[in-house]
Amino acid sequence: MKPLKQFSIPFTGLKIGKHQFEFEVDNSFFDAFDYSLVKKGNLKVGVELDKQETMLLLHFDVKGTIVLDCDKCLSEFNAAIAIQERQIVKFAEDELESDDLEIIVLSRKESELDVALPIYELITVSVPYIKVCEQDGEGQKCDQEMIERLKSFSIDTQEQQEENNDDDPRWAALKKLK
């Protein structure tokens, strides 16, 4: 993950208190993650690191747009996202797995914190389950030509299915059971 080196925060030399960091997330960021839901985007990430004696508190502020594929008409559209989230970083003698999603556990030997994965996870979780152009709110509409084309390839309408059923003697026998 060489392209993500700029997403490391060296915290050992920082004084106790709040510190601000700014990051730019673009297409190269998403290319570093295999099988990413998001392939393109332009986001600004502000990270406020509150260094305390026993832990670090991170406040993420992610704003910008990501490019998604519409599930209805298959065209690309820009979706605006705005995320504000916090994360806690605790220190342990040896690296332990944490069950809590808000807590990152680091070894006391660590000198920097990689925030690329938490940023990626925040962006990925903000992707809607059903992505439609019209949800954007900027007045973008689905491609009507593509929707008509998809309808022409869709399964027969219900009327056509009923007509086909009338021709089949198996259905006629079942209708007599009513």
Side-chain angles (χ1 to χ4, degrees):
M1 289 194 172
K2 285 272 190 208
L4 302 180
K5 184 67 178 161
Q6 73 249 19
F7 292 93
S8 283
I9 299 175
F11 60 84
T12 52
L14 298 176
K15 295 181 180 180
I16 292 178
K18 295 183 179 185
H19 306 276
Q20 300 290 330
F21 298 92
E22 296 288 324
F23 300 103
E24 297 280 331
V25 174
D26 57 6
N27 299 348
S28 62
F29 176 83
F30 298 111
D31 290 341
F33 294 95
D34 295 331
Y35 310 109
S36 175
L37 287 176
V38 180
K39 301 290 184 209
K40 299 176 189 172
N42 187 13
L43 301 130
K44 295 200 182 301
V45 180
V47 179
E48 179 184 85
L49 184 139
D50 185 3
K51 185 175 181 181
Q52 299 178 354
E53 291 191 25
T54 58
M55 68 178 139
L56 304 172
L57 297 175
L58 299 172
H59 295 276
F60 292 95
D61 184 27
V62 182
K63 291 182 180 164
T65 59
I66 55 176
V67 179
L68 299 174
D69 294 326
C70 180
D71 290 336
K72 192 173 179 182
C73 69
L74 307 176
S75 65
E76 287 186 347
F77 69 99
N78 292 328
I81 60 170
I83 307 164
Q84 292 186 343
E85 193 67 43
R86 76 174 187 139
Q87 195 126 43
I88 300 169
V89 180
K90 290 196 173 189
F91 299 101
E93 291 303 321
D94 49 357
E95 211 167 305
L96 302 171
E97 289 293 320
S98 175
D99 293 338
D100 193 353
L101 297 176
E102 282 190 7
I103 298 177
I104 299 172
V105 179
L106 287 180
S107 169
R108 293 208 182 268
K109 298 173 188 173
E110 294 285 330
S111 62
E112 54 185 39
L113 175 64
D114 184 16
V115 293
L117 188 59
I119 291 171
Y120 171 74
E121 289 173 350
L122 287 173
I123 294 169
T124 302
V125 168
S126 72
V127 173
Y129 184 68
I130 298 173
K131 305 172 289 286
V132 181
C133 298
E134 294 154 355
Q135 288 177 341
D136 187 26
E138 293 182 9
Q140 184 173 351
K141 300 286 183 194
C142 284
D143 183 6
Q144 292 302 317
E145 181 181 328
M146 180 59 84
I147 290 177
E148 291 302 319
R149 180 179 272 169
L150 290 171
K151 283 182 183 177
S152 71
F153 292 121
S154 68
I155 299 176
D156 297 336
T157 62
Q158 191 172 7
E159 293 172 0
Q160 291 172 335
Q161 287 178 353
E162 287 177 9
E163 288 175 13
N164 292 340
N165 292 343
D166 290 341
D167 298 336
D168 192 351
R170 295 176 291 182
W171 290 108
L174 289 174
K175 285 183 181 179
K176 291 178 186 176
L177 295 175
K178 283 186 179 180

